[in-house]
Amino acid sequence: YDKAKEIIFCSRDRFGVKPFYYTEVDDRLVFGSEIKQLLEFYEDRYVNETILVDYLLYGLEEHTNETFFKNIYKLEQSHNLIYDLKSDDFEIKKYFRIEIDQSLDKLDEQDAINLMKERLETAIELRLRADVKVGTCLSGGLDSSSIAAIASKKYYKASGERFIAIHAKSIEKKTDESEFAREVAKHCNLNLMEVEPSLEDITKHIEEVVYTQEEPFGGPSIFMQYFVMKKARENGCIVMLDGQGGDETLFGYESYFSFYFASLLSKFKFWQYYKELKNLTTFKVSKKRILRDSIIVLFRNQLSFLEKIIRKKRTFIKLKYARKRLNHLFEFKDFKNFQIREIMVRNMPHLLKYEDKNSMRNSIETRLPFVDYRFVQSAVSTNDNLKFKNGFLKYILRKIVDPILPKNVVWRINKFGFEAPTDMWIASQQNRMKEAIENSDIVNQAVELNDKVYSNKSLLWRMYNIAIWEKVYAVKI
């Protein structure tokens, strides 16, 4: 509050690590760090149908300044809101953009590795500053293992104590990463704590987690993160490092392959395209699909007529929707531009939202080294060929931590994250989920329910999530 200028100055951090919501009601601007605070000013809560459809069709949640609640907005990351008390009006201005440093794109491999190593170590060092116990989330994947390995050395040197790492173990064999987490803990002398939620635990905490998240969310893996934060609180570890942002900044998802290979095609690098596709080892996505999708990505604008065909397949949606307003989310220019969009619009924003709400619900402060703005700008600027090389995603990060982590952790390709036993849980809850969906006013007015819709697991989860959210927050349509 600036008394002299008679303004209230509000700002949200560069990448939206922390939330900021606002609404205008009865000629007042109301703002807070949770949607719950703002809902108190409304007698009735209505669903925002535009975001509802984006979520049902594309799984999108945090891609605009709108929320799932009608008339409640978020101040977007990298923006200031300045409220003028004299005129009772406000303006919103952007103050930060990711800048590409062309000189970093030209660095040779070893210089790039040295630079990114220094950036990551500095980011972790800054986030270890605390008057309380600090720990880390450890899935057993590359990002969390890298942070644990670097942080544990620094923490032990400063405090003489073993660094705490908390792992969420899945009871489902195909999504269980605990052997990797244990191997990292042993190798790095970590004090490893495990939490293993049962199917009953997930079911029991559904309403609590939906209440915590405030809006429908991506999938049951969010429960695993919630249990990690709960465990951290129980053990008095009230500052936790986490690996969010590593995938978006350093090219960590197999779904990014189609965009990377499209960028090679756009530069007429056909020999490199052929060579890298041939050497590629994938875990979830087939080479055939990458080949097909890279061509679709490249010619997406020219192939817009396919939208009519796609729309026919999506007749399960009863509400009106305008796919054109999302065109900017699917257009392709080059790989760096795509990365910036993933960081600022499409992927990272919803991961940061889950992180903040799960941690703060348990009074935990999480700190994210990969989301340090110097690290982000350097990572995006680094040559794309060092993010993906010799068939490996996140090649440069693997090279940074190769000397300090077990080789089978550094060079593994089967990536999960805190993966919930989703298939087992859905199989055990299918009838209950259908019942909740059929009793939901919102879902019934938005979706044409049929066997095909129920057979799609991700859509089944989204509809169920909406049904529970509608009940918990008494939302109307």
Side-chain angles (χ1 to χ4, degrees), residues 58 303 305-315 321 323:
Y58 306 105
L303 296 172
F305 69 89
L306 287 173
E307 178 56 27
K308 288 177 183 174
I309 301 164
I310 292 164
R311 193 173 290 150
K312 279 179 186 172
K313 287 183 182 176
R314 289 181 169 152
T315 48
Y321 67 95
R323 162 69 167 77

Side-chain angles (χ1 to χ4, degrees), residues 35-152:
I35 294 172
K36 297 177 191 76
Q37 300 162 322
L38 277 51
L39 291 176
E40 292 301 312
F41 290 83
Y42 286 96
E43 210 169 295
D44 295 308
R45 297 102 184 249
Y46 290 96
V47 65
N48 177 343
E49 292 180 22
T50 307
I51 299 298
L52 176 71
V53 174
D54 290 351
Y55 173 68
L56 284 166
L57 280 180
Y58 306 105
L60 293 168
E61 308 156 41
E62 288 287 295
H63 54 299
T64 73
N65 70 330
E66 297 178 49
T67 69
F68 276 82
F69 292 93
K70 200 172 182 180
N71 300 325
I72 292 181
Y73 300 90
K74 58 179 89 78
L75 178 61
E76 291 180 277
Q77 70 278 63
S78 302
H79 281 74
N80 298 327
L81 184 153
I82 299 147
Y83 189 93
D84 188 326
L85 292 160
K86 299 186 288 291
S87 65
D88 279 332
D89 211 355
F90 66 89
E91 62 176 337
I92 292 172
K93 290 181 179 176
K94 187 162 187 160
Y95 67 84
F96 171 81
R97 278 180 177 81
I98 294 174
E99 300 288 343
I100 302 291
D101 184 342
Q102 298 296 344
S103 66
L104 300 192
D105 192 61
K106 296 180 178 76
L107 289 179
D108 67 25
E109 184 172 313
Q110 196 51 56
D111 286 344
I113 289 167
N114 293 342
L115 172 82
M116 292 310 297
K117 180 174 184 277
E118 185 266 323
R119 288 275 191 273
L120 183 56
E121 288 190 348
T122 304
I124 290 170
E125 217 162 78
L126 283 169
R127 284 156 184 79
L128 284 172
R129 288 180 184 168
D131 299 325
V132 294
K133 199 189 287 185
V134 183
T136 193
C137 304
L138 180 63
S139 69
L142 184 63
D143 297 339
S144 63
S145 299
S146 301
I147 288 170
I150 296 168
S152 61

Side-chain angles (χ1 to χ4, degrees), residues 262-394:
S263 74
L264 295 181
L265 287 177
S266 69
K267 295 169 189 168
F268 304 106
K269 294 184 177 180
F270 303 123
W271 173 244
Q272 191 181 342
Y273 182 99
Y274 167 75
K275 201 169 64 175
E276 292 196 1
L277 192 62
K278 188 169 175 267
N279 294 335
L280 188 61
T281 311
T282 59
F283 174 53
K284 290 178 183 171
V285 185
S286 70
K287 289 185 186 183
K288 194 177 173 184
R289 186 174 156 193
I290 292 166
L291 179 69
R292 184 201 70 192
D293 287 356
S294 64
I295 294 165
I296 290 173
V297 163
L298 190 62
F299 296 105
R300 195 185 293 274
N301 301 343
Q302 291 87 333
L303 296 172
S304 58
F305 69 89
L306 287 173
E307 178 56 27
K308 288 177 183 174
I309 301 164
I310 292 164
R311 193 173 290 150
K312 279 179 186 172
K313 287 183 182 176
R314 289 181 169 152
T315 48
F316 68 86
I317 290 289
K318 290 181 184 177
L319 302 173
K320 284 182 184 174
Y321 67 95
R323 162 69 167 77
K324 278 185 179 175
R325 69 182 192 86
L326 298 176
N327 277 356
H328 67 287
L329 293 183
F330 299 99
E331 284 168 357
F332 182 72
K333 290 178 186 173
D334 57 47
F335 192 72
K336 288 193 190 322
N337 186 273
F338 165 74
Q339 268 195 291
I340 290 169
R341 187 172 64 198
E342 287 294 290
I343 291 164
M344 301 303 288
V345 185
R346 265 185 61 159
N347 208 55
M348 201 164 83
H350 69 247
L351 297 177
L352 297 181
K353 179 182 77 169
Y354 306 153
E355 175 93 29
D356 178 77
K357 292 183 188 299
N358 274 337
S359 58
M360 293 308 290
R361 181 67 174 157
N362 291 287
S363 301
I364 300 290
E365 181 195 337
T366 50
R367 299 175 178 180
L368 314 172
F370 287 118
V371 187
D372 179 286
Y373 79 97
R374 288 151 295 214
F375 182 89
V376 172
Q377 298 214 127
S378 301
V380 175
S381 299
T382 301
N383 195 295
D384 298 339
N385 297 338
L386 295 175
K387 294 166 201 164
F388 171 63
K389 188 175 177 181
N390 299 342
F392 286 100
L393 296 163
K394 285 191 290 207

